[in-house]
Amino acid sequence: MTRALRTPHGPPPQHAESESVRGRDLVLLWAGQFVNTAGLMMLVPIMPFYLRQIGTSSLAETQTWAGVAIAAPALALTVATPLWGRLGDRIGRKWMVVRALLGLAIAMIVMATASSPLLLVAGRLLQGTLGGVVEAAAAFAGSTGSDQKRGSALGKSFSATAAGALAGPVAGGLFVGAGGLQQLMLVIAGVAAMLAVTCGVGLREPARSRPLTGSGETTTRQRRRPSVREVPGAGALALAAIAAYFGVYGLIPVYAEHVEGVVTDQGGASLWVGVLHSVMWGATLLGSFWWGKHNDLTGRPLRTFVLSAGGCAAAIAVIALPLDPYAMIPLRLVQGFCFAALAQSLFLHFSKHAPADRRSAFVSTANSYLLIGQSAGPLLAGPLVGLMPVPGAVLVMAGACALGCLLALTPSSEEKRSPEEHPDDVSAAGEVEPTRPIPVVASARNGVAIAPFRGWRITQRNHSTLAGRYATPWSELPHPGFGILADWQRSGAIIQDRRPALYAYEQLGPHGTIRGVVALVHLDSGLLPHADVIPEHVQRLTNVMERQRANLDPALLGFSGDGRTATCIDDAAHHPPVAEVLAHDGQTHRLWPITDHVEQDQIIAELEARAAFIADGHHRHAAARQYRRAAYAAGQGQGPWDYFPALLVDVTKTPMSLAPVHRVLPRLDPREALQMASARFRVTPMHGEITDWITKLKRHSKNGPAYVLATPRGGYLLTEPQPRFLNAALDGTASALRTMNVAILDTALLDRLWQIPNRPGDINYEPNPSAALRMARDSGGVAVLTNPPTRRDLKAAAASGIRLPHKSTSFGPKPHPGLVFRTLDDR
């Protein structure tokens, strides 16, 4: 039985340090965005009033220049942001933040000294080309935040935008009438320059991926570069983003005229414009935190986008009515709260489906969609006011937001909920990142060829309720095992990761600690088996594969690595796991997906030059090969049946334990077994507990074959077999096996002395001596306790090409069954 862990484990020192660094980064990013947005928004809401001060006269001229001035930074950013994003992926995202702050400082100086609308627009264009603090900071947060808290990181990032927009309109409304707006711009320029220097020194990015060498480097160069078009629903979301931001930002110049039509006093109108904008951005400030946590909790940012775009549309539509300014306040609160979710939800969706080395570019591209709407809305708002009444133009903006809501509906409907959503967790429905090309492997290959896969996992909330099945979605019984997997898929009890991954795995507890990588292993890889299999058992497992169309639990493979795989596992373990269970034996099992292509290539390159030994899973390996033979015989050719799942453990980093597998003979009469053994062995009655028996067994095994015959009435030590009997029993046995206790046990005792048939039910295998003793007592038979082969014995047998008897060893600890698995329908 398993149960979900309820007590969180403290992070390792490195992780705690990284959390501290991330907190400092967020503070610096927040400050930069606040200053940037305050500088922008103190001018934007009162742009028509400010333009009249520097030279415009008529309503049409003022509205036209206001639209151009408001749209100018967004127009420049639309082109520049993706370019800056790609550069940030190459040289570091923090330098994009520094560049944007310096660009803001230069642009504010130009705008402060502008004496005409044309110069003001030039400063705004410069701000968009060189600046973009909000965009750069959002790309930084979206690309470096931890997977499980990236939504919250983006929410905090956008709260700075809201705070700046909250303070800016009030300051702009106050200073525009007093004539001190230019001086305030110069102050903001100085603050931005100081922040640029501080960010250059203080911001810290995660270590960039190390360059590969050898074959791994070649693989990286040849890999197809992922495109932003592969993000699920990218086309529809681009149009939705443009439409939603067209409506929100197109409202800004129209809104000033709308309020002026309600408030007749000129000074009162400018003040109300600032107040209502501040109200909206105050709600945005609060909403930014709430929506960020909401996205992390639900894992459905597209649904959030749909709801928020619809909310903006409804609030703007009602604003078109001739309402008193006080009545507009709750509508602006709704609009601001909903607006807080738009950009961060879009960014979260794109960052979730971006490779780690291209997240900044993907987020920047998503931002360019918003910027198109942000620039087009104000540009067209002026002509709209000339063509129709101001309330009509307001309704056009509401319709644009509603269109954005409708366009995002289809991608949102394909986005399934993951209960404890980690960004790589989604259901199989909808578009997915294509699996990387599966290598064609020659049968003479000496290394291990592996491939990532889209794993199915039991959701964390179901670990307890499904504990009786040991988190495994199938049963070896014909009924009720049939259909369990399909039922779990339909009910959402299991989820499938959208992106192909190699899975870092850790197990620790009283039975030992191992770390490794769960991957698909090509059946023609260089795998070294050391034990025979039982054909009936192989056939039974093959039948389960055919019935459920799924691979079984991962085999356990060991290899001697150079540290690349271990380093990737260490890096993954600094983050919270996507699955964590505590098994009935006290062992804790954790799982992390490794989706970064560079890290995957490092692991693949290390293993393709090394052979691996099958520590556990000989029958699963044989069943997978038998299933593949049937697929090829049916003319299906290459496919997912060429691979089987395995946990690969670098034994130089985390050595496996080696334990014996004891034999339980339920149908052998204890008295008859003891009598026959007494004729060939020296028999000594055992006293004390079973731990005392094992201790004495280990001591006597150093001098020759030794076993404990455990009966319901007690235990007996078997030592010093008769040489003639032993030689006759081992006649024809390979020399590498003649000194192994387990080989002598199966050949001399089971086959020759007791003549136990090798059939299911006649011999059971149990690595735990206490459990073997209980089984013998319950069945009325006997158990034979033995010692495992030494590692030297195994190495000698493998070098000679000799297979040990079935169930000769128990390597461990073994991976938890069903923690992650692959269905054969996933190509």
Side-chain angles (χ1 to χ4, degrees):
M1 178 174 287
T2 61
R3 59 183 175 86
L5 285 179
R6 299 182 182 274
T7 304
H9 295 269
Q14 300 95 324
H15 183 50
E17 182 181 357
S18 66
E19 289 293 335
S20 174
V21 171
R22 188 175 295 118
R24 185 182 65 212
D25 288 346
L26 287 176
V27 169
L28 291 173
L29 294 175
W30 199 97
Q33 289 181 92
F34 174 82
V35 170
N36 174 79
T37 309
L40 279 173
M41 295 307 295
M42 71 177 183
L43 189 60
V44 169
I46 45 84
M47 187 69 74
F49 307 117
Y50 183 63
L51 283 167
R52 289 170 191 164
Q53 289 185 1
I54 60 174
T56 61
S57 55
S58 67
L59 173 62
E61 182 186 9
T62 300
Q63 281 296 316
T64 300
W65 277 111
V68 172
I70 293 173
L75 284 172
L77 279 168
T78 301
V79 177
T81 297
L83 301 177
W84 291 129
R86 295 189 188 99
L87 182 62
D89 283 331
R90 292 187 178 183
I91 69 172
R93 290 140 190 159
K94 84 166 185 177
W95 298 116
M96 295 300 98
V97 177
V98 173
R99 180 267 310 155
L101 286 166
L102 291 176
L104 171 64
I106 296 172
M108 293 301 291
I109 293 173
V110 172
M111 287 189 290
T113 57
S115 57
S116 68
L118 183 62
L119 288 176
L120 179 65
V121 170
R124 301 275 291 176
L125 285 171
L126 187 63
Q127 182 181 30
T129 304
L130 297 180
V133 177
V134 174
E135 291 73 21
F140 188 101
S143 59
T144 62
S146 69
D147 284 348
Q148 293 72 30
K149 296 182 179 179
R150 191 175 297 144
S152 295
L154 284 168
K156 293 175 183 177
S157 175
F158 278 96
S159 72
T161 302
L166 175 63
V170 175
L174 293 174
F175 278 84
V176 69
L181 199 58
Q182 290 86 351
Q183 290 79 4
L184 185 58
M185 291 181 187
L186 293 175
V187 170
I188 291 175
V191 174
M194 289 188 293
L195 275 174
V197 174
T198 305
C199 288
V201 175
L203 279 182
R204 290 290 182 272
E205 293 186 76
R208 299 179 69 81
S209 299
R210 297 171 293 279
L212 296 174
T213 58
S215 58
E217 187 176 28
T218 302
T219 304
T220 302
R221 284 199 301 266
Q222 293 175 347
R223 187 180 66 240
R224 180 180 61 82
R225 191 173 180 82
S227 170
V228 73
R229 291 188 298 272
E230 296 173 2
V231 172
L237 291 174
L239 296 176
I242 293 171
Y245 260 48
F246 179 97
V248 172
Y249 278 86
L251 181 67
I252 292 176
V254 175
Y255 195 69
E257 297 296 336
H258 182 63
V259 173
E260 194 172 17
V262 176
V263 181
T264 56
D265 179 64
Q266 179 67 27
S270 62
L271 180 60
W272 267 111
V273 169
V275 169
L276 290 172
H277 273 277
S278 296
V279 166
M280 190 201 84
W281 285 104
T284 302
L285 174 61
L286 299 176
S288 296
F289 295 104
W290 190 89
W291 287 115
K293 293 179 180 179
H294 177 76
N295 281 336
D296 280 337
L297 179 64
T298 65
R300 297 190 62 180
L302 295 187
R303 185 181 67 175
T304 298
F305 185 94
V306 168
L307 294 174
S308 57
C312 287
I316 294 173
V318 179
I319 286 174
L321 299 174
L323 301 174
D324 182 87
Y326 288 101
M328 294 184 186
I329 291 177
L331 298 174
R332 296 293 280 176
L333 287 172
V334 173
Q335 182 191 343
F337 185 80
C338 294
F339 174 72
L342 291 176
Q344 63 169 296
S345 299
L346 189 72
F347 289 0
L348 178 59
H349 177 72
F350 274 76
S351 67
K352 281 173 58 173
H353 301 286
D357 59 341
R358 298 206 65 210
R359 280 179 184 155
S360 184
F362 274 42
V363 170
S364 297
T365 300
N367 186 61
S368 69
Y369 304 148
L370 298 173
L371 291 171
I372 292 172
Q374 183 176 334
S375 58
L379 276 175
L380 297 178
L384 279 176
V385 172
L387 294 174
M388 63 179 67
V390 172
V394 174
L395 288 176
V396 169
M397 302 309 163
C401 290
L403 179 61
C405 173
L406 293 175
L407 288 169
L409 276 176
T410 299
S412 173
S413 66
E414 296 173 348
E415 177 189 45
K416 293 290 186 69
R417 181 183 186 273
S418 301
E420 66 283 348
E421 178 74 0
H422 298 278
D424 290 326
D425 299 346
V426 294
S427 160
E431 300 177 52
V432 298
E433 177 182 320
T435 303
R436 302 170 67 193
I438 295 179
V440 177
V441 182
S443 59
R445 189 181 184 91
N446 293 322
V448 178
I450 66 170
F453 65 104
R454 294 177 53 227
W456 286 91
R457 295 184 288 101
I458 292 178
T459 56
Q460 192 72 18
R461 71 162 187 243
N462 286 312
H463 276 306
S464 295
T465 57
L466 302 177
R469 299 190 181 104
Y470 295 92
T472 307
W474 51 74
S475 168
E476 293 184 359
L477 298 175
H479 304 285
F482 185 80
I484 287 179
L485 176 59
D487 291 341
W488 286 16
Q489 289 172 324
R490 285 191 296 268
S491 67
I494 56 177
I495 54 175
Q496 187 178 27
D497 293 331
R498 186 180 295 276
R499 299 172 62 190
L502 302 175
Y503 293 87
Y505 173 88
E506 178 186 67
Q507 179 183 167
L508 67 160
H511 299 290
T513 298
I514 59 169
R515 273 185 169 184
V517 169
V518 179
L520 296 184
V521 177
H522 200 283
L523 289 168
D524 290 333
S525 297
L527 302 180
L528 304 176
H530 68 268
D532 283 329
V533 295
I534 299 176
E536 292 83 0
H537 193 183
V538 172
Q539 185 59 53
R540 182 156 51 92
L541 297 181
T542 305
N543 293 341
V544 175
M545 291 180 63
E546 292 174 347
R547 184 171 65 246
Q548 298 291 1
R549 294 284 298 168
N551 282 115
L552 303 180
D553 306 322
L556 179 61
L557 309 181
F559 70 98
S560 297
D562 58 20
R564 280 178 284 177
T565 298
T567 299
C568 293
I569 296 172
D570 291 342
D571 292 342
H574 288 162
H575 302 285
V578 297
E580 183 171 13
V581 295
L582 179 62
H584 69 289
D585 59 356
Q587 292 289 108
T588 299
H589 305 259
R590 299 190 181 109
L591 194 74
W592 300 264
I594 299 175
T595 56
D596 182 79
H597 287 174
V598 176
E599 292 186 337
Q600 289 180 358
D601 286 337
Q602 289 178 328
I603 298 170
I604 290 170
E606 179 179 13
L607 286 164
E608 68 183 1
R610 289 166 171 79
F613 67 92
I614 302 178
D616 182 73
H618 288 82
H619 287 88
R620 278 161 278 175
H621 177 244
R625 294 181 68 88
Q626 182 166 307
Y627 185 93
R628 181 176 70 161
R629 284 195 297 271
Y632 273 71
Q636 297 182 17
Q638 293 181 350
W641 39 82
D642 288 312
Y643 287 78
F644 80 120
L647 170 63
L648 296 112
V649 176
D650 185 348
V651 295
T652 64
K653 301 297 181 181
T654 54
M656 301 179 195
S657 61
L658 178 59
V661 179
H662 310 295
R663 273 55 173 161
V664 180
L665 313 174
R667 298 172 182 171
L668 179 60
D669 180 76
R671 182 175 299 179
E672 182 181 352
L674 182 60
Q675 183 178 357
M676 287 190 288
S678 300
R680 304 298 184 185
F681 287 80
R682 179 179 179 181
V683 178
T684 306
M686 304 288 286
H687 303 284
E689 302 294 331
I690 192 170
T691 53
D692 300 322
W693 299 2
I694 298 298
T695 300
K696 186 174 292 188
L697 173 63
K698 289 180 179 179
R699 185 170 66 249
H700 281 272
S701 293
K702 296 178 181 179
N703 301 320
Y707 310 95
V708 170
L709 179 63
T711 71
R713 294 187 176 182
Y716 301 88
L717 179 66
L718 308 184
T719 56
E720 301 178 17
Q722 294 178 355
R724 180 179 300 178
F725 162 74
L726 199 58
N727 289 334
L730 298 176
D731 184 37
T733 302
S735 58
L737 300 178
R738 294 176 68 91
T739 59
M740 293 187 191
N741 281 350
V742 67
I744 297 173
L745 169 60
D746 280 14
T747 305
L749 278 167
L750 272 60
D751 292 348
R752 184 68 175 258
L753 184 61
W754 293 324
Q755 298 181 2
I756 305 296
N758 190 10
R759 298 176 308 197
D762 287 300
I763 307 175
N764 295 323
Y765 303 90
E766 174 56 53
N768 186 298
S770 297
L773 182 57
R774 285 196 301 271
M775 291 170 64
R777 288 173 177 170
D778 293 342
S779 64
V782 302
V784 184
L785 311 183
T786 184
N787 279 316
T790 64
R791 296 182 188 274
R792 180 179 298 178
D793 291 336
L794 295 177
K795 188 173 182 179
S800 304
I802 297 172
R803 302 288 181 89
L804 274 65
H806 170 60
K807 294 291 186 182
S808 295
T809 59
S810 175
F811 281 95
K814 295 176 176 58
H816 191 67
L819 202 59
V820 62
F821 57 93
R822 190 273 303 252
T823 60
L824 292 169
D825 294 321
D826 299 323
R827 294 176 177 267

